[in-house]
Amino acid sequence: MADAPLVLGIETSCDETGVGIVRGHTLLANTIASSVEEHARFGGVVPEVASRAHLEAMAPTVERALDQAGLRLTDIDAIAVTAGPGLAGALLVGVAAAKAYSLGLGIPLYGVNHLAAHVAVDQLEHGALPKPCIAMLVSGGHSSLLLVPDVAKEVIPLGSTIDDAAGEAFDKVARLLGLPFPGGPYIDRAATSGSATAIHFPRGKYNDGTYDFSFSGLKTAVARWVEARLAAGESIPVSDVAASFQEAVVDVLTRKAIAACRTHGVRDLLIGGGVAANSRLRALAQERCDAAGIRLRVPRPGLCTDNGAMVATLGSDLVAAGVAPSLMDIPADSSMPVTTVHV
């Protein structure tokens, strides 16, 4: 794809300012400025703090990406930006910056869907996506099962969480156990020395025949279990609680993903989003996919969390598909549906 356009992608939907540059499905740069440490003392992301951090980090992060790729800004052929869903103020910073670069350079702008970008990014590591495939996106803000006939044109929702997202549940349980924010990596680490069968926590919507998820009840069950131990004057076996909680989450996620593949006759499953970096989720998904004859695709952890490369990749796919660029009045849409791949 030496003749493919150079696309610069900007991601600011939450607490990470991501800028990536691709040529086709070849990654040239992927730089991130995270404000996670500024949010840690609050135990969660503060939208106003995130927006200010994006504003301060935007230009330097773009410059770092260009340096990493050995390019000048004038070499870029198109700009892609996350237009939604996400935090409204955070999205506005990215969309405004993308419009400015597009206007200043006289190059096309592509406003893209954050969730579809999480699907597209796997192509940087494993090549073009099979058509169709099932995608399971699991992060701090989303837990969704999608049927993806063509990531640049059509994404069909099959199910999603009805309350807490999986990553949100990880954060809340980590706080219960006295672990730092964000909770996912710390729960994963603690679970390695614990037993996944030590405590049987409930699996919400496990046998309901839908592709929806529910993690609020699981989070409450963990809280009640911890409270009961403390009231009895007993210590909390953090590793066992972490491992048992984690197992409940990944059991439900992988069970429903495999069921979706079977029902729709799809032989390829892609897992993306920040929680896709979880070691137990990756291991159990591989085990169950192997047993079901399903091919599993999971990007490396650095491409699972929010990043600009995923936005650039989807932008590149839109260019290749001949999709018309976005207009300069595109909004930042905090509740953009996954069915809207491009605005």
Side-chain angles (χ1 to χ4, degrees), residues 32-70:
I32 294 173
S34 177
S35 60
V36 66
E37 291 185 5
E38 298 178 48
H39 305 283
R41 65 193 178 98
F42 301 106
V45 176
V46 180
E48 292 81 2
V49 172
S51 300
R52 174 60 62 179
H54 287 310
L55 191 60
E56 294 172 351
M58 180 57 64
T61 308
V62 169
E63 288 300 320
R64 283 198 294 122
L66 291 168
D67 289 344
Q68 191 178 107

Side-chain angles (χ1 to χ4, degrees), residues 63-100:
E63 288 300 320
R64 283 198 294 122
L66 291 168
D67 289 344
Q68 191 178 107
L71 298 169
R72 296 170 299 173
L73 191 56
T74 51
D75 294 326
I76 301 300
D77 298 306
I79 301 286
V81 63
T82 296
L87 302 175
L91 290 168
L92 280 168
V93 176
V95 170
K99 289 178 180 179

Side-chain angles (χ1 to χ4, degrees), residues 137-282:
L137 303 183
V138 277
S139 68
H142 307 279
S143 295
S144 305
L145 269 171
L146 312 168
L147 174 62
V148 186
D150 184 338
V151 71
K153 297 178 180 177
E154 185 180 20
V155 176
I156 302 168
L158 301 178
S160 62
T161 182
I162 64 170
D163 42 57
D164 289 354
E168 185 181 2
F170 271 90
D171 288 340
K172 291 177 178 178
V173 168
R175 190 185 310 174
L176 284 170
L177 297 177
L179 298 174
F181 173 86
Y186 295 99
I187 294 250
D188 195 359
R189 200 171 303 143
T192 58
S193 57
S195 169
T197 58
I199 310 153
H200 181 75
F201 289 125
R203 274 92 163 135
K205 300 184 76 63
Y206 195 69
N207 292 306
D208 70 343
T210 75
Y211 300 121
D212 290 330
F213 304 102
S214 173
F215 299 109
S216 181
L218 169 60
K219 172 201 66 183
T220 302
V222 175
R224 296 291 174 266
W225 193 92
V226 169
E227 288 168 4
R229 291 278 296 206
L230 292 175
E234 300 174 8
S235 63
I236 305 301
V238 172
S239 294
D240 284 346
V241 175
S244 298
F245 159 76
Q246 178 176 266
E247 192 69 15
V249 174
V250 303
D251 184 15
V252 175
L253 290 173
T254 55
R255 176 186 174 89
K256 295 216 170 197
I258 296 296
C261 289
R262 284 174 168 158
T263 300
H264 291 86
V266 174
R267 302 296 298 276
D268 295 274
L269 171 64
L270 182 152
I271 304 178
V275 179
N278 179 272
S279 63
R280 180 55 183 153
L281 174 58
R282 296 167 85 97

